[in-house]
């Protein structure tokens, strides 16, 4: 197993385990369904203000892990602590602090978006006026026509409505299963901005997705599950650095590269060939930040191509041979 910190024989610890900022802790989780073991050793730790990526192939156990975190499945062993309480505790105050976007969204096609959010607000013991509902729909970039039924919504519109529903209670912890599924690139970026803003305001977000680009853009920490067990967990940059799989890019330059060396902490030049320059990025650096920095330094970048390495290579290596 790949971890970002020292391993020990005792219980595994997430970042700052035991602090009041820890929103979700899972330790040595084991769970069976119908006599078949689905999870054998899953662990993760999510703090306030973090966006945590939960990754793994189809059938690896991600959805079952989420079900255990929500108290919908009772573990055979291990511990699941949500907002300081054992998962499944029948506490209305605890449920109000949770927001969930499940894989199967549970929409009522005959309802309008406005009546749907009003209904779910009532389940949280809240009464939202029409302007408040309109503001929440606008927050997720959804402005349906007055009286339009959910049954006429596209997949992307449903995803936006599901996120609005998850935010009804202004939750401290969000658990999102494929939140950008069905969205175009602009829609994905809008959802990214919403999630980043929520994290900056102190919410913790567990993001379950197959889109590694979403994880690259949003997450500080990840956990990768394969065949029911965690095979890697920790800060992305540290996991990539330990694996030696720095992200590699090919840059086509429209003119001569300036004599000034790039910032060594961000990028290193691997090779040059004609108009192309091959560079490796530091695992802690975000590509868009690096490109802006190089452009500021006078690099005439005309084209950028991904050339392997980084999170994608780490993920593919760790999940090789698993059932998908």
């Amino acid at each position: 197993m790949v971890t970002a910190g020292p391993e020990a024989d005792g219980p595994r610890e997430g970042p700052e385990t035991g602090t009041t900022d820890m929103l979700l802790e899972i330790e040595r989780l084991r769970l069976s369904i119908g006599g078949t073991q689905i999870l054998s050793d899953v662990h993760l730790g999510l703090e306030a203000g973090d966006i945590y990526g939960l990754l793994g192939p189809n059938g690896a156990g991600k959805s079952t892990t989420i079900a255990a975190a929500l108290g919908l499945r009772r573990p055979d062993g291990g511990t699941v602590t949500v907002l300081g309480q054992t998962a499944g505790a029948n506490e209305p105050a605890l449920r109000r602090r949770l927001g969930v976007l499940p894989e199967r969204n549970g929409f009522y096609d005959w309802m309008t978006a406005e009546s749907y959010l009003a209904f779910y607000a009532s389940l949280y013991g809240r009464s939202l006026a029409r302007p408040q509902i309109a503001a929440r729909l606008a927050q997720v970039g959804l402005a349906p026509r007055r009286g339009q039924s959910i049954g006429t919504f596209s997949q992307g519109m449903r995803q936006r409505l599901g996120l609005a529903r998850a935010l009804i209670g202004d939750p401290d912890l969000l658990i999102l299963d494929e939140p950008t599924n069905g969205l175009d690139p602009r829609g994905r970026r809008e959802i990214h901005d919403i999630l980043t803003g929520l994290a900056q305001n102190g919410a913790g977000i567990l993001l379950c997705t197959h889109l590694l680009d979403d994880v690259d853009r949003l997450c500080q920490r990840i956990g990768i599950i394969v065949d029911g067990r965690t095979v890697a967990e920790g800060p992305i940059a540290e996991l990539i650095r330990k694996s030696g799989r720095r992200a590699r890019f090919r840059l086509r330059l429209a003119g001569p590269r300036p004599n000034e060396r790039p910032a060594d902490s961000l990028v290193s030049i691997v090779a040059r060939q004609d108009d192309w320059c091959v560079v490796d990025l530091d695992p802690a650096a975000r590509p868009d930040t690096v490109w802006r920095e190089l452009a500021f330094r006078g690099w005439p970048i005309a084209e950028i191509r991904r050339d392997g390495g980084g999170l994608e290579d780490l993920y593919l290596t760790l999940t090789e041979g698993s059932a998908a």
Side-chain angles (χ1 to χ4, degrees), residues 15 26 46 81 133 175 193 235 259 273 281 288 293 310:
I26 296 178
L46 171 60
T81 306
I133 292 176
I175 298 178
D193 291 343
N259 293 327
Q273 184 179 11
L281 268 59
D288 53 351
E293 174 67 19

Side-chain angles (χ1 to χ4, degrees), residues 289-305:
T289 301
V290 175
W291 311 144
R292 284 196 297 269
E293 174 67 19
L294 293 182
F296 177 77
R297 292 170 179 262
W299 282 51
I301 300 174
E303 184 178 349
I304 301 172
R305 295 183 182 179

Side-chain angles (χ1 to χ4, degrees), residues 27-40 64 68 73-80:
E27 294 287 345
R28 300 189 184 279
L29 175 61
R30 293 183 290 107
L31 193 152
S32 299
I33 300 176
T36 300
Q37 188 168 53
I38 307 299
L39 305 179
S40 58
T64 303
R73 294 282 185 182
R74 185 181 298 275
D76 301 326
T79 60
V80 182

Side-chain angles (χ1 to χ4, degrees), residues 96-141:
R96 283 195 291 269
R97 297 176 62 196
L98 280 171
V100 182
L101 176 63
E103 183 179 14
R104 294 179 178 84
N105 290 324
F107 295 116
Y108 305 111
D109 286 352
W110 51 271
M111 279 187 168
T112 65
E114 292 84 359
S115 61
Y116 184 76
L117 289 189
F119 168 68
Y120 267 91
S122 70
L123 299 181
Y124 282 90
R126 306 184 67 171
S127 177
L128 296 181
R130 181 174 292 175
Q132 292 175 298
I133 292 176
R136 289 180 178 273
L137 292 174
Q139 180 186 10
V140 298

